Amino acid sequence: MSLRHDYTRAEVEALLDLPFNDLLARAHAVHAAHHDANAVQVSTLLSIKTGGCPEDCAYCPQAARYHTGVEAQKLMPLDAVLDRARQAQSAGATRFCMGAAWRSPKDRDVEKVAAMIREVKALGMETCATLGMLTQDQADRFKAAGLDYYNHNLDTAPEFYGEIIHTREFADRLDTLECVRNAGLKTCCGGIVGMGETRAQRAGLLQALANLPEHPQSVPINRLVQVEGTPLAGTAQLDPFEFVRMIAVARILMPASMVRLSAGRAEMSDELQALCFFAGANSIFYGEKLLTTGNPDTERDQALFARLGIMPMQVEVESGTVHADIAEDCREHAAA
Ligand code: SAM
Ligand code: DTB
Ligand code: SF4
């Protein structure tokens, strides 16, 4: 299978511009050729360090400078993180993603987070972290602790980046992603739509993601969750079909990657989510909360999976296949 890394902007725009049915048919064919079209990977997020972030990302409720009602908290203690990981595992998640509202981790934090990674991994879950910018040494230390994935999003097109974030540059994101790849970690890298960008700029984000030296193994496509107090609260709502187009083109450009239907699901209808799964989304965040905002409750997701005949993906770990309870719950829903 040859994966391309030389997409032109015009090619990506032409895909986004296809008639909706043609685009969906193409995307679904690519999806079915590379993946089980009825299997969805399930991750749970935990904010291990909430709020008080020095960055100014215009979408983010955790930036200290915006008055969003999110209170700054200290790094969670190891035991509390492990309790939450166990809960997520027994609810059926196979990957546990730990997020921190940092520009970058301080060296004294690295050992604490490394211990969390080691212990979560020991439960038999895949591990993911999103902690801001990393040095090569930090990425290597997390890899040594057993980290599987590092999430670091490009977030938006290079030419729109400066309108959304002023405290770092697009190139900084690329530098961290390089350290992550060099460390042998898998990358989880995507972006946000619905921030007032144009379709051409959405094409720019997809082009930048697909032309990275390796396609990210996981590509989260977030729909902006508008939070009162952030500069982007009140932005015109993106046409839901544009969101589906984003998923479809991500699937076509990065055929072997997992495309995650990420933030914004709580505000989406079941029908819209089903279209996203048809267009090639095969991963979700599962559990009532993302980092600080809401996500569909697990009952609703189990019922949706059952209605669509979707099964949660199992994960191979050294100790054998982890059988997620969500599979059982979905079967029960299907039988009901
Ligand atoms: N501080 C680190 C960083 O920015 O890389 C890690 C945590 S940060 C909250 C992780 C990602 O969450 C961001 O890159 C962004 O894509 C997403 N995100 C944050 N706020 C969001 C919102 N309101 N709606 C959708 N996605 C959001
Ligand atoms: C990603 O792309 N989306 C997730 C995860 N990676 C870290 C975060 C979404 C955050 C939504 C806003 C919040 O809950 O604070
Ligand atoms: Fe900080 Fe990350 Fe939020 Fe930006 S997205 S303000 S870096 S927590």
Side-chain angles (χ1 to χ4, degrees):
M1 175 178 57
S2 68
L3 298 177
R4 286 184 52 195
H5 301 272
D6 60 352
Y7 294 104
T8 65
R9 179 70 67 100
E11 267 181 292
V12 181
E13 283 189 43
L15 285 170
L16 276 176
D17 289 346
L18 279 173
F20 191 71
N21 287 341
D22 291 346
L23 175 58
L24 254 64
R26 262 184 82 168
H28 188 75
V30 171
H31 188 44
H34 290 83
H35 303 270
D36 175 346
N38 304 306
V40 169
Q41 189 277 332
V42 171
S43 299
T44 290
L45 267 175
L46 175 68
S47 181
I48 58 170
K49 156 69 185 86
T50 302
C53 184
E55 302 282 85
D56 78 344
C57 312
Y59 46 79
C60 187
Q62 302 198 70
R65 66 192 73 202
Y66 310 136
H67 300 286
T68 62
V70 171
E71 269 182 43
Q73 288 165 14
K74 292 207 172 98
L75 183 62
M76 281 175 73
L78 175 63
D79 284 356
V81 172
L82 280 178
D83 280 349
R84 299 292 290 270
R86 280 191 209 97
Q87 279 167 27
Q89 187 175 35
S90 58
T94 54
R95 189 178 308 160
F96 194 63
C97 307
M98 292 165 272
W102 286 324
R103 172 177 165 83
S104 52
K106 306 251 183 314
D107 274 335
R108 65 167 188 269
D109 299 319
V110 172
E111 195 33 52
K112 290 183 187 160
V113 177
M116 294 173 189
I117 292 166
R118 258 191 302 276
E119 301 278 332
V120 172
K121 184 85 179 163
L123 298 176
M125 298 186 88
E126 290 183 312
T127 54
C128 178
T130 182
L131 315 166
M133 296 186 276
L134 295 186
T135 62
Q136 189 61 60
D137 177 59
Q138 291 175 332
D140 293 341
R141 286 165 68 188
F142 290 133
K143 171 72 183 174
L147 188 64
D148 295 305
Y149 290 82
Y150 195 75
N151 166 252
H152 202 65
N153 291 336
L154 292 183
D155 281 325
T156 195
E159 70 271 21
F160 194 57
Y161 202 82
E163 293 188 36
I164 301 295
I165 299 154
H166 311 92
T167 48
R168 56 169 192 266
E169 292 183 3
F170 192 81
D172 296 323
R173 300 303 267 185
L174 299 178
D175 290 348
T176 292
L177 289 167
E178 191 180 347
C179 295
V180 168
R181 286 191 304 271
N182 288 342
L185 293 163
K186 290 183 239 190
T187 52
C188 171
C189 180
I192 312 179
V193 294
M195 300 195 293
E197 73 288 335
T198 62
R199 186 185 273 183
Q201 288 165 336
R202 287 191 283 279
L205 168 63
L206 289 168
Q207 183 195 12
L209 291 168
N211 287 349
L212 286 167
E214 279 173 30
H215 291 172
Q217 282 79 7
S218 167
V219 182
I221 305 294
N222 297 281
R223 186 168 85 169
L224 175 69
V225 178
Q226 297 200 10
V227 178
E228 213 49 58
T230 61
L232 291 182
T235 305
Q237 288 289 341
L238 184 72
D239 176 356
F241 296 130
E242 280 298 308
F243 187 83
V244 182
R245 283 179 186 275
M246 240 357 242
I247 299 272
V249 177
R251 168 51 64 224
I252 293 169
L253 300 181
M254 295 168 278
S257 301
M258 304 296 290
V259 174
R260 181 172 300 132
L261 169 54
S262 193
R265 281 198 312 119
E267 294 78 34
M268 290 180 196
S269 67
D270 288 351
E271 295 85 341
L272 176 57
Q273 293 186 61
L275 265 182
C276 292
F277 292 133
F278 184 78
N282 59 351
S283 170
I284 58 163
F285 286 121
Y286 176 70
E288 277 76 11
K289 217 167 171 198
L290 292 166
L291 292 172
T292 64
T293 66
N295 199 39
D297 60 42
T298 52
E299 281 278 302
R300 179 179 162 196
D301 280 340
Q302 287 165 16
L304 179 60
F305 276 20
R307 287 163 75 203
L308 300 178
I310 285 176
M311 289 305 288
M313 256 175 227
Q314 307 294 313
V315 62
E316 298 291 332
V317 291
E318 279 119 51
S319 53
T321 303
V322 172
H323 291 282
D325 294 347
I326 184 179
E328 198 46 52
D329 293 335
C330 288
R331 273 185 222 103
E332 280 166 16
H333 270 284

